[in-house]
Amino acid sequence: MTPAFKDLVAYDIGGGWGSDVCQSEYESIGYVIRGTDIPRVAVGDVNTVPLRFHKASNLASRKLQSGDIVFEVSGGSKGQPVGRALQITDKILGRFDQPVMCASFCKLIRLDPGRALPGYVFRVLQAAYADGGLDSFQVQSTGITNFKWKPFLEHFKIELPDPEVQRRVASVMDSFDDLIENNRRRVEVLEEMARAIYREWFVEFRYPGHRGVPLVDSARGPIPENWTWGQLDYLVQVVKDTVDPSTLDPDTPAVGLEHIPRNQLTLDDWGVAGEQGSRKAVFSKGDVLFGKIRPYFHKVSVAPVDGISSTDAIVIRPVEQHWGEVAMVVSSASFVAHATQTSNGTKMPRADWKVLGQWPVAVPSAGLSQSFTGIVRDHLELAKTLMFENRRLSELRDLLLPKLVTGQIDVSTLDLDTMISTGLMREGSVAP
């Protein structure tokens, strides 16, 4: 059976944006998933999703339910076509403490489960987006790319296999997504453990061997004897080297502000130099990238590789023995709040390192600093390992998806556990 997409849809409606303040008629609170939020929400990260005020009727008619699909219909660019999709699950809805709807540049799609399994149709949409199957429905308008929704409903056909096959394909893909989300949660735990140790040692001064060490008065309050107060600038080098990306290997990692996650030290996404234009900053593995535009977005991550980045990121290279303390300080909520309060500009505020470098830091002995750096490195190295595992799983999933939805691979014969554990799947290595 190969129905048109319109024959599978029970309900669809465009999203909304509401208001950023409570006002007459706009009194209902709800989160709004934008197209730019889709990749992060898909792995369980809802930190970027804004909370806004809506008309009660608008929110009620657009409130997302488990099984719905959020589909992007506007806002694309030359290198970023529209048509990204997000499957709404109970797990995703459980991340929010208020109702959720999609933004104006997206559509809510509610499928008829009697015609097709929503989870399978979602995977077909993912595969079509990845292989260019949605390109014919793109149209350029006023500098952005829009999606031709009505022609899509009429002309996009979906080949539906037996319902059991649909269920198995969706289940396989869900297994990958669950593994990726579980790893991301483990990254969160590891980072929070490192922050908790930082607070214990450097804020509460309950470090190993603290018993019997008196606190002495200082201009900034009590501090352990033999510790000193210093400025952040003393513990770091701000790297200002730049390079023309065209002179580099085109596969050199390239980090834009859009790649740096909010409230996460583990950098898990980047582009390549071959896709870049203007000069870029140069960073090394272990440097800390601090997003200086709109610092309240809290985009601070440790570079897991050598590469280049937008010059809108400050490249911070800590002195080795103080690496752990610096990573914890510049990613802390209090430091980011200070960066926000002291930033320059109104529409596009920018953090000023001349100010940030004066941030006070409590400096212990060299031995204690090195010990703490070792602990933080251990935690963040494990987080980095999980991040690279997620990249591998994502690659494996994305290679497998089109082969499953087109029937090139018989899902009933798929040994998923072996494939995941060995990582043997490569494009072209699986026979039809």
Side-chain angles (χ1 to χ4, degrees), residues 204-205 207-216 223-227 368:
E204 303 296 334
F205 299 129
Y207 53 90
H210 73 281
R211 295 184 185 280
V213 178
L215 296 178
V216 297
I223 190 173
E225 189 176 58
N226 298 324
W227 285 46
L368 201 59

Side-chain angles (χ1 to χ4, degrees), residues 58-121:
N58 286 352
L59 183 58
S61 61
R62 293 164 174 81
K63 181 179 176 182
L64 294 171
Q65 304 174 10
S66 183
D68 288 348
I69 294 172
V70 172
F71 190 80
E72 180 187 42
V73 294
S74 188
S77 60
K78 183 178 179 181
Q80 178 69 65
V82 287
R84 290 179 292 186
L86 172 69
Q87 179 179 219
I88 300 301
T89 64
D90 287 328
K91 189 177 292 186
I92 285 177
L93 293 176
R95 306 284 183 223
F96 297 97
D97 57 3
Q98 297 290 344
V100 193
M101 63 186 287
C102 61
S104 306
F105 281 10
C106 297
K107 277 191 178 289
L108 180 165
I109 303 173
R110 190 164 294 154
L111 301 174
D112 180 352
R115 300 298 307 274
L117 184 72
Y120 178 81
V121 175

Side-chain angles (χ1 to χ4, degrees), residues 114-340:
R115 300 298 307 274
L117 184 72
Y120 178 81
V121 175
F122 163 68
R123 299 301 177 177
V124 172
L125 292 175
Q126 277 192 317
Y129 180 80
D131 68 12
L134 302 181
D135 289 356
S136 62
F137 301 104
Q138 313 276 325
V139 60
Q140 195 74 20
S141 173
T142 61
I144 63 174
T145 304
N146 296 313
F147 196 80
K148 296 187 287 187
W149 178 246
K150 289 184 178 179
F152 170 76
L153 286 175
E154 293 286 341
H155 302 295
F156 186 74
K157 310 284 188 180
I158 293 185
E159 184 171 346
L160 294 176
D162 179 270
E164 179 59 21
V165 174
Q166 294 181 44
R167 186 194 66 77
R168 288 183 177 181
V169 169
S171 178
V172 166
M173 292 294 103
D174 289 347
S175 295
F176 276 99
D177 287 350
D178 288 344
L179 286 170
I180 291 169
E181 182 176 353
N182 287 341
N183 283 343
R184 197 190 68 79
R185 291 290 173 190
R186 292 172 65 191
V187 167
E188 284 185 353
V189 170
L190 287 164
E191 291 189 7
E192 182 49 42
M193 289 172 64
R195 291 190 183 97
I197 297 170
Y198 167 76
R199 291 191 294 269
E200 188 79 0
W201 288 29
F202 290 86
V203 178
E204 303 296 334
F205 299 129
R206 291 196 291 260
Y207 53 90
H210 73 281
R211 295 184 185 280
V213 178
L215 296 178
V216 297
D217 289 333
S218 75
R220 297 190 178 279
I223 190 173
E225 189 176 58
N226 298 324
W227 285 46
T228 60
W229 284 105
Q231 291 185 357
L232 183 59
D233 254 340
Y234 301 161
L235 309 185
V236 308
Q237 172 193 359
V238 174
V239 181
K240 298 183 178 180
D241 299 338
T242 63
V243 68
D244 181 348
S246 66
T247 65
L248 302 175
D249 182 325
D251 290 329
T252 299
V255 178
L257 289 187
E258 70 274 13
H259 298 122
I260 303 177
R262 289 193 190 183
N263 300 293
Q264 180 177 300
L265 268 171
T266 305
L267 184 67
D268 56 9
D269 191 22
W270 52 84
V272 293
E275 300 170 344
Q276 310 304 310
S278 58
R279 293 185 71 85
K280 301 298 177 186
V282 178
F283 64 81
S284 297
K285 179 181 176 181
D287 288 348
V288 182
L289 305 179
F290 187 98
K292 65 182 178 182
I293 287 187
R294 293 174 175 165
Y296 49 81
F297 283 152
H298 201 135
K299 288 175 171 273
V300 188
S301 289
V302 174
V305 292
D306 296 341
I308 59 175
S309 73
S310 164
T311 53
D312 289 326
I314 301 171
V315 179
I316 303 169
R317 185 166 297 162
V319 174
E320 174 54 33
Q321 75 181 43
H322 298 294
W323 186 90
E325 182 178 4
V326 170
M328 293 296 102
V329 167
V330 300
S331 64
S332 67
S334 56
F335 185 82
V336 171
H338 179 63
T340 301

Side-chain angles (χ1 to χ4, degrees), residues 16-29:
W17 187 231
S19 170
D20 60 349
V21 295
C22 184
Q23 55 183 298
S24 177
E25 295 187 342
Y26 290 83
E27 298 179 338
S28 296
I29 301 176

Side-chain angles (χ1 to χ4, degrees), residues 394-411:
S394 296
E395 177 186 357
L396 202 56
R397 177 199 61 197
D398 294 345
L399 288 174
L400 183 60
L401 175 58
K403 297 179 184 296
L404 288 177
V405 299
T406 58
Q408 295 179 59
I409 295 178
D410 183 350
V411 67

